[in-house]
Amino acid sequence: MGDWLRELADARVSVVDLHPDRETTKRRAAVGRAMRMRDEVAAFERRWPAPPSHEANVPSFTWSQLERQLADLVDSPMKAAMARDLMSGLRKMSQFKPPEMVLREILCTSWALLDEDFQPGSEYPAAP
């Protein structure tokens, strides 16, 4: 992301606003989330450096294909709905993460959804 986040955070700290309005509070929360994500990505990239460019790539597939396959593999309509929602969230955040980090999150989400002991309660709506 870059140094602009750090500069924004430094500027945010230098201005004392004892009674921030809702918009200011939302902006501060967004900056905080962006800074946490940047730190997560940096830690991931330190642990898992980019592979050599001569390695073969995995065949490509679409987000809708991934959602469809996860929804088909799970054992309940609630988990199918969760699979779609979780992949939608991951898809939105994937543009800020390295591909291998996205792959890791897909694998972790799949593992959780396919766990037979994990049965979401009635608070999660069933798939249509």
Side-chain angles (χ1 to χ4, degrees), residues 41-52 55 98 100:
V41 168
F44 184 89
E45 289 176 332
R46 279 191 303 276
R47 183 170 180 199
W48 307 101
E55 286 190 29
E100 189 174 2

Side-chain angles (χ1 to χ4, degrees), residues 37-104:
M37 182 179 298
R38 182 198 59 197
D39 293 344
E40 288 174 23
V41 168
F44 184 89
E45 289 176 332
R46 279 191 303 276
R47 183 170 180 199
W48 307 101
S53 60
H54 64 277
E55 286 190 29
N57 288 331
V58 175
S60 64
F61 51 87
T62 67
W63 285 103
S64 61
Q65 289 171 320
L66 175 61
E67 291 171 19
R68 183 174 58 203
Q69 292 305 312
L70 278 175
D72 187 62
L73 288 171
V74 297
D75 60 1
S76 75
M78 280 190 258
K79 283 186 179 181
M82 288 181 76
R84 284 187 276 282
D85 291 346
L86 290 169
M87 287 303 104
S88 175
L90 179 55
R91 179 180 61 240
K92 292 172 188 169
M93 300 309 291
S94 68
Q95 63 184 325
F96 305 111
K97 299 179 179 187
E100 189 174 2
M101 191 173 188
V102 175
L103 171 62
R104 185 180 182 102

